[in-house]
């Protein structure tokens, strides 16, 4: 997020909403890292995260003219990304693949699970909070705006998620 007037998120969003495709591209460049980190935190997979970011960019491009407040462009974009990631999660749940777990391997404890697997075990609302806070670096206030929930709810979900992760680590 640069502070130059011509390269700020708000300025680029305003120009993009007027039809300036280069401004939309520049806007995407400014926030792509946060978008990818959020998607990776939610989905736990680089390829799926890239799919979610691509879908979010496509959806945002189609509807950029409907953006009412350019100063909230990043929040608007992250909401679109979360919806795209959730759509991918729903698709993943519908796919039943038996070849993802090799024959003869059974995990009776969590020693082999890595942190990404632990994050994936969280319920989607808790995973979103962890992803936005620790993968993308958003503040609690920003997460509250992105998810359109009270900041107190963000704090309690974050606390619940961290407690679940602590229990997961302690039970190893």
């Amino acid at each position: 997020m640069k502070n130059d007037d011509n390269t700020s998120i708000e300025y680029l969003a305003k120009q993009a909403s007027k039809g300036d495709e280069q401004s939309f591209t520049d806007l995407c460049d400014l926030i792509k890292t946060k978008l990818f980190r959020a998607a990776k935190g939610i989905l736990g997979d680089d390829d799926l995260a890239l799919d979610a970011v691509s879908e979010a960019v496509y959806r945002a491009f189609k509807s950029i003219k409907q953006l009412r407040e350019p100063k909230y462009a990043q929040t608007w974009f992250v909401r679109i990304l979360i919806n795209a990631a959730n759509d991918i999660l729903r698709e993943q749940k519908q796919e039943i693949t038996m070849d993802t777990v090799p024959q003869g391997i059974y995990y009776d404890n969590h020693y082999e699970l890595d942190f990404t697997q632990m994050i994936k075990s969280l319920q989607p609302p808790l995973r979103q909070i962890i992803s936005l806070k620790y993968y993308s670096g958003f503040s609690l206030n920003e997460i509250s705006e992105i998810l359109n929930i009270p900041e107190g709810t963000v704090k309690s979900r974050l606390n619940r998620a961290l407690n679940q992760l602590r229990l997961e680590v302690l039970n190893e």
Side-chain angles (χ1 to χ4, degrees):
M1 287 191 275
K2 299 174 185 173
N3 291 331
D4 300 352
D5 285 344
N6 292 342
T7 57
S8 73
I9 290 174
E10 183 176 353
Y11 173 81
L12 292 171
K14 184 181 280 186
Q15 295 305 111
S17 68
K18 293 177 183 176
D20 183 353
E21 291 181 15
Q22 184 59 50
S23 290
F24 182 81
T25 302
D26 293 344
L27 173 64
C28 291
D29 273 347
L30 276 179
I31 62 175
K32 67 183 176 188
T33 302
K34 281 193 174 193
L35 293 175
F36 177 77
R37 288 179 180 166
K40 170 82 187 247
I42 293 169
L43 297 166
D45 179 85
D46 286 351
D47 293 332
L48 293 177
L50 288 172
D51 289 346
V53 171
S54 294
E55 180 64 22
V57 168
Y58 171 72
R59 291 178 187 180
F61 183 75
K62 279 181 33 180
S63 60
I64 189 71
K65 291 182 181 181
Q66 298 169 358
L67 177 63
R68 289 185 223 139
E69 290 288 335
K71 67 181 177 181
Y72 297 119
Q74 182 171 265
T75 300
W76 174 78
F77 225 117
V78 173
R79 282 185 190 156
I80 292 171
L81 173 77
I82 289 171
N83 288 333
N86 287 336
D87 290 346
I88 289 172
L89 283 174
R90 274 190 290 280
E91 290 172 12
Q92 292 289 311
K93 283 183 181 178
Q94 292 175 359
E95 292 178 11
I96 301 175
T97 56
M98 297 305 288
D99 60 351
T100 56
V101 178
Q103 295 257 343
I105 294 179
Y106 175 74
Y107 294 104
D108 60 350
N109 61 38
H110 298 292
Y111 287 109
E112 280 91 19
L113 292 178
D114 63 357
F115 190 68
T116 301
Q117 286 300 111
M118 287 186 219
I119 297 292
K120 285 174 84 174
S121 73
L122 295 172
Q123 295 173 342
L126 302 180
R127 194 174 338 149
Q128 289 173 356
I129 300 287
I130 291 289
S131 173
L132 293 171
K133 175 75 174 143
Y134 296 109
Y135 285 84
S136 296
F138 288 106
S139 70
L140 296 178
N141 186 37
E142 290 171 323
I143 295 169
S144 170
E145 290 176 12
I146 289 168
L147 298 177
N148 200 25
I149 58 176
E151 191 171 337
T153 303
V154 171
K155 289 177 184 177
S156 65
R157 286 183 184 173
L158 179 61
N159 189 38
R160 191 173 335 129
L162 292 174
N163 284 334
Q164 286 181 13
L165 291 172
R166 279 187 202 102
L167 285 173
E168 192 84 27
V169 170
L170 292 174
N171 287 332
E172 285 190 355

